[in-house]
């Protein structure tokens, strides 16, 4: 829902520090009008020492651990790459830190040409090997179509989880104990779980109900595999940008100059399914616009005013020409069928089997895994506590 672009005339409560508003899942505001998500960012900055001497010291110890664990091996860390800014810059930084990374890519066959070229340019420039898992395109499209039929927001869930599972499988294959991920909570925030949930059981249950093509090449992360990687293989997930100073804008400028990396026009637009989700599906069917994550992050760090961020947030998202036509054609949807599904009442992850209650029951156990870097903090915050979905 697009509101008045004037921040003072929006007609709803908006955080006094960022642009999250009362429609955001599980949001609350303190006496100063600051939302709980801004307070969460403050807490994470303090905990990780982000961009400070403390954060640098903590990350320096992690680097020593990675080098030690990787002695005698071909690679000492895994880095997931998408062709986007963060993962591309992380490849460069890993080489600067003296690491020997293996780049890993999960190809859902919806990559833009720019993203594919960016991966090639970056890895060539910094002399890094690539391990790619390509899902069978008919199988991948069948999973996407199943989620579309299910009427839930997370049409991209299989990509997010497939990426993680592909990185873990590559780590296990090469005996690597550390996976590096290019996420920055300062640059992107942490997406509220209300309309952005995914786990292996969620994917499997929806595919069983609506899918037609057997899952054979999709790297499904089951609960058992998730625990095995953390507790037996003890593969650690590290997010360097949670510790050190990082600027997405400076990273982008560097990559463009250093290796001819090309910007793809907007956050999440490097993949056409992701672009469909953010530009068309989430806003039009669920009234959810995830641009507020990155825009609020820019406001929090003083790179953009609340007024300008709100105005941009309440303008229509950028949509690639013919993207909707491409989506319908790939999934074999007629115009009538597409409209029928889009007009059906929205459903959520709460309407289907998931691991969510299991994650919540095991919260104390996962808290221990977080302290050991065997499970990510964002997973713990989003999945191990009860969440109320904003309708």
């Amino acid at each position: 829902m697009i509101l008045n672009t004037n921040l003072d005339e929006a007609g709803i409560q908006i955080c006094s520090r960022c642009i999250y508003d009362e429609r955001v899942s599980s949001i609350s505001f303190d006496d100063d009008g600051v939302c709980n998500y801004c307070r969460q960012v403050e807490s994470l900055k303090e905990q990780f020492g982000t961009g400070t001497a403390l954060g640098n010291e903590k990350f320096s110890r992690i680097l020593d651990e990675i080098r030690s664990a990787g002695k005698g091996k071909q690679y000492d860390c895994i880095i997931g790459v998408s062709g986007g800014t963060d993962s591309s810059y992380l490849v460069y930084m890993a080489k600067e830190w003296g690491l020997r990374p293996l780049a890993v890519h999960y190809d859902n066959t919806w990559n833009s040409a720019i993203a594919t070229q960016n991966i090639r340019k970056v890895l060539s420039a910094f002399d890094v090997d690539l391990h790619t898992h390509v899902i069978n395109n008919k199988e991948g499209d069948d999973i996407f179509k199943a989620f579309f039929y299910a009427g839930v927001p997370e049409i991209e869930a299989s990509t997010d989880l497939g990426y993680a599972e592909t990185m873990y499988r590559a780590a296990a294959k090469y005996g690597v104990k550390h996976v590096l991920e290019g996420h920055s909570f300062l640059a992107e925030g942490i997406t509220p779980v209300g309309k952005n949930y995914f786990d292996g059981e969620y994917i499997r249950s929806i595919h069983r109900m609506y899918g037609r093509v057997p899952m054979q090449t999709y790297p499904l992360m089951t609960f058992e595999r998730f625990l095995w990687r953390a507790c037996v293989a003890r593969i650690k997930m590290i997010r360097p940008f949670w510790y050190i100073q990082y600027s997405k804008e400076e990273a982008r400028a560097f990559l463009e100059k250093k290796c001819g990396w090309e910007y793809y026009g907007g956050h999440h637009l490097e993949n056409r399914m992701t672009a469909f989700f953010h530009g068309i599906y989430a806003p039009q069917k669920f009234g959810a616009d995830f641009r507020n994550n990155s825009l609020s992050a820019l406001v929090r760090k003083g790179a953009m005013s609340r007024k300008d961020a709100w105005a941009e947030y309440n303008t229509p998202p950028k949509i690639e020409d013919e993207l909707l036509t491409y989506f319908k054609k790939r999934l074999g949807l007629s115009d009538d069928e597409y409209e029928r599904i889009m007009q059906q009442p929205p459903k959520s992850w709460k309407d289907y089997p998931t691991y969510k209650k299991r994650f919540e029951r095991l919260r104390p156990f996962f808290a221990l895994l977080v302290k050991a870097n065997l499970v990510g903090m964002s997973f713990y915050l989003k999945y191990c506590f009860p969440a109320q979905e904003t309708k």
Side-chain angles (χ1 to χ4, degrees), residues 227 231 361-370 380:
L227 283 190
C231 301
R361 289 195 300 269
L362 293 174
R363 183 167 68 240
F365 172 65
F366 283 118
L368 296 175
L369 295 181
V370 168
Y380 178 71

Side-chain angles (χ1 to χ4, degrees), residues 199-262:
D199 67 34
E201 181 58 24
Y202 188 33
I203 292 171
R204 181 163 52 189
S205 64
I206 284 183
H207 185 258
R208 281 173 175 168
M209 296 178 70
Y210 298 100
R212 296 292 181 268
V213 181
M215 282 201 295
Q216 297 177 333
T217 65
Y218 176 70
L220 181 68
M221 181 187 290
T222 63
F223 184 82
E224 293 74 20
R225 287 172 183 159
F226 178 49
L227 283 190
W228 185 87
R229 303 266 159 64
C231 301
V232 180
R234 297 188 68 80
I235 298 171
K236 296 187 176 184
M237 173 68 77
I238 307 295
R239 289 175 162 176
F241 300 147
W242 284 42
Y243 297 92
I244 66 173
Q245 185 68 37
Y246 172 66
S247 166
K248 185 187 288 283
E249 295 73 30
E250 292 177 6
R252 184 183 304 156
F254 171 83
L255 292 167
E256 290 172 348
K257 182 178 180 180
K258 180 69 177 180
C259 52
W261 182 94
E262 185 177 350

Side-chain angles (χ1 to χ4, degrees), residues 101-305:
L102 171 65
V104 172
H105 178 62
Y106 169 71
D107 188 349
N108 67 4
T109 72
W110 287 67
N111 283 345
S112 69
I114 292 177
T116 301
Q117 287 300 311
N118 280 347
I119 293 174
R120 181 190 61 78
K121 290 174 182 178
V122 168
L123 300 187
S124 176
F126 303 123
D127 191 26
V128 172
D129 294 339
L130 175 65
H131 170 94
T132 299
H133 177 81
V134 184
I135 188 174
N136 176 280
N137 65 315
K138 294 186 182 300
E139 181 182 335
D141 289 353
D142 185 66
I143 299 173
F144 289 139
K145 192 172 184 178
F147 269 77
F148 187 62
Y149 281 151
V152 295
E154 300 88 354
I155 195 170
E156 265 269 275
S158 61
T159 299
D160 293 326
L161 203 66
Y163 243 113
E165 177 67 12
T166 298
M167 289 191 292
Y168 280 125
R169 290 187 184 186
K173 177 179 179 179
Y174 291 98
V176 175
K177 295 299 183 181
H178 295 84
V179 172
L180 307 187
E181 191 176 35
H183 180 268
S184 165
F185 67 85
L186 289 182
E188 300 179 38
I190 295 179
T191 306
V193 73
K195 290 184 172 68
N196 187 41
Y197 182 90
F198 55 88
D199 67 34
E201 181 58 24
Y202 188 33
I203 292 171
R204 181 163 52 189
S205 64
I206 284 183
H207 185 258
R208 281 173 175 168
M209 296 178 70
Y210 298 100
R212 296 292 181 268
V213 181
M215 282 201 295
Q216 297 177 333
T217 65
Y218 176 70
L220 181 68
M221 181 187 290
T222 63
F223 184 82
E224 293 74 20
R225 287 172 183 159
F226 178 49
L227 283 190
W228 185 87
R229 303 266 159 64
C231 301
V232 180
R234 297 188 68 80
I235 298 171
K236 296 187 176 184
M237 173 68 77
I238 307 295
R239 289 175 162 176
F241 300 147
W242 284 42
Y243 297 92
I244 66 173
Q245 185 68 37
Y246 172 66
S247 166
K248 185 187 288 283
E249 295 73 30
E250 292 177 6
R252 184 183 304 156
F254 171 83
L255 292 167
E256 290 172 348
K257 182 178 180 180
K258 180 69 177 180
C259 52
W261 182 94
E262 185 177 350
Y263 186 47
Y264 31 85
H267 192 40
H268 297 301
L269 299 185
E270 66 267 34
N271 184 276
R272 300 184 83 182
M273 176 56 77
T274 315
F276 170 79
F277 167 67
H278 283 273
I280 298 175
Y281 186 58
Q284 293 182 13
K285 186 173 176 70
F286 303 95
D289 188 339
F290 293 100
R291 289 179 298 170
N292 63 353
N293 294 336
S294 54
L295 288 170
S296 288
L298 288 172
V299 173
R300 291 186 192 110
K301 66 180 185 177
M304 193 176 207
S305 70

Side-chain angles (χ1 to χ4, degrees), residues 48 55 58-66 76-80 90 97 99 167-168 176-184 234-244 369-378:
F48 286 86
K58 287 184 174 183
F59 186 61
S60 180
R61 290 197 293 269
I62 291 174
L63 286 176
D64 289 340
E65 180 184 301
I66 294 173
D76 55 19
C77 63
I78 299 293
I79 298 179
L90 184 56
W97 296 323
L99 301 181
M167 289 191 292
Y168 280 125
V176 175
K177 295 299 183 181
H178 295 84
V179 172
L180 307 187
E181 191 176 35
H183 180 268
S184 165
R234 297 188 68 80
I235 298 171
K236 296 187 176 184
M237 173 68 77
I238 307 295
R239 289 175 162 176
F241 300 147
W242 284 42
Y243 297 92
I244 66 173
L369 295 181
V370 168
K371 289 181 179 180
N373 278 329
L374 293 167
V375 167
M377 175 61 77
S378 59

